[in-house]
Amino acid sequence: MGIPGLEAAHIWISIPFFTFYIISLLGNVTLLSVVGKEQILQKPMYLLLCMLALTDIATPTFVVPKALGIFWFNLKGITVAGCLTQMFFLHTISVMHSSTLVTMAFDRYVAICNPLRYATILTNAQIAKLGLVGFIRAVLFILPLPLLLSQQTFCANRIIPHTQCEYIAMVKMVCGDIRVSRIYSFVLMFVINVFDLTFIALSYGLIIRAVLRISSHKAHQKALNTCTAHICVMLTYYTPTFFSILTHHFGQGIAPYVHIILADLYLLIPPMLNPIIYGVKMKELRDKVVKYTCRSSADTKFTQSSADTRDDISSGLQCPSGNCQIVREYVNQH
């Protein structure tokens, strides 16, 4: 249904939706292309950024096109299979995103607390394996949710007051016994959030302890600066999630569209901000992005200038009769 209560503003709401999505795509695709082209950036830390960028591309891609179809063309229909598929991919990518943040916390812990063994503990192959484990974990954890719901009978009133098919909205349409689904979803949310947040907190607790043991103030600053970008990314990811959960459980007096907007911000804001945060905080990555941007601009100007110069030479040629075409071909080739 989009955002019930704000139907008259759907067109206006679509503008930030579309803008955030385009910025997210541009930022994350740029990050992936720069890391892919630069051999010096193909290190564990930047491979983790690429994994994060892939999840940041996938998350809004599973939401925004359908939402824009609702806002622009009133295309509100979706099949049960399509809804379950969207729900599966949304939650799978979310768990994968959380796994990537855990791996990044471990990466920072090893880099600061055990720097001499960093190159042997975290190789590119190890990062790829950790990414594969995170993906398998996400699929195995989330797959039972749509499978359990697909066995249920849905009520006649199949209306989802939201911009996407989320698990809670799907459960509310089921007419049968959903105790198993509810118990599994509660255990799943508890296990994932508690494990991931505990591991991240433990990693940063050990990092802070190691930093406090360093006597040099300059070394303090350098060690903490390596973690700043990761902390900012975690805040952009977990803060909207935290407020969304709070408003859902304790905000009965809050208008329904507030819940929907918070849920949408959770899916749109982090993918847009993450490449910006890393681009600002990581000098090595920022310099490479600037280099490619400037090179692309310079190449465009040089190509246009060369073409204009070649045309001027060709048009101003003085050549014997019958030989002009031969001379022009020579100029064009050289």
Side-chain angles (χ1 to χ4, degrees), residues 78-80 83-84 149 152-161 165-176 178 182:
I78 188 170
T79 63
V80 173
C83 213
L84 291 173
L149 287 177
Q152 299 291 338
T153 302
F154 291 93
C155 302
N157 187 21
R158 302 183 179 186
I159 295 176
I160 299 178
C165 298
E166 61 172 7
Y167 175 75
I168 296 173
M170 293 286 289
V171 166
K172 289 179 179 179
M173 294 191 302
V174 175
C175 292
I178 56 171
R182 283 189 180 276

Side-chain angles (χ1 to χ4, degrees), residues 184-211:
Y184 180 77
S185 64
F186 177 79
V187 172
L188 184 64
M189 183 181 69
F190 179 81
V191 168
I192 292 174
N193 289 332
V194 169
F195 173 80
D196 290 1
L197 289 175
T198 300
F199 195 93
I200 290 172
L202 179 63
S203 296
Y204 275 96
L206 294 173
I207 288 171
I208 292 171
R209 189 183 70 171
V211 170

Side-chain angles (χ1 to χ4, degrees), residues 247 250-259:
T247 56
F250 306 107
Q252 284 76 15
I254 299 177
Y257 60 78
V258 175
H259 297 274

Side-chain angles (χ1 to χ4, degrees), residues 94-95 97-98 101 232-241 266 270:
S94 178
V95 176
H97 191 107
S98 185
L101 292 179
C232 291
V233 166
M234 285 195 300
L235 289 175
T236 61
Y237 178 74
Y238 286 112
T239 302
T241 306
Y266 158 69

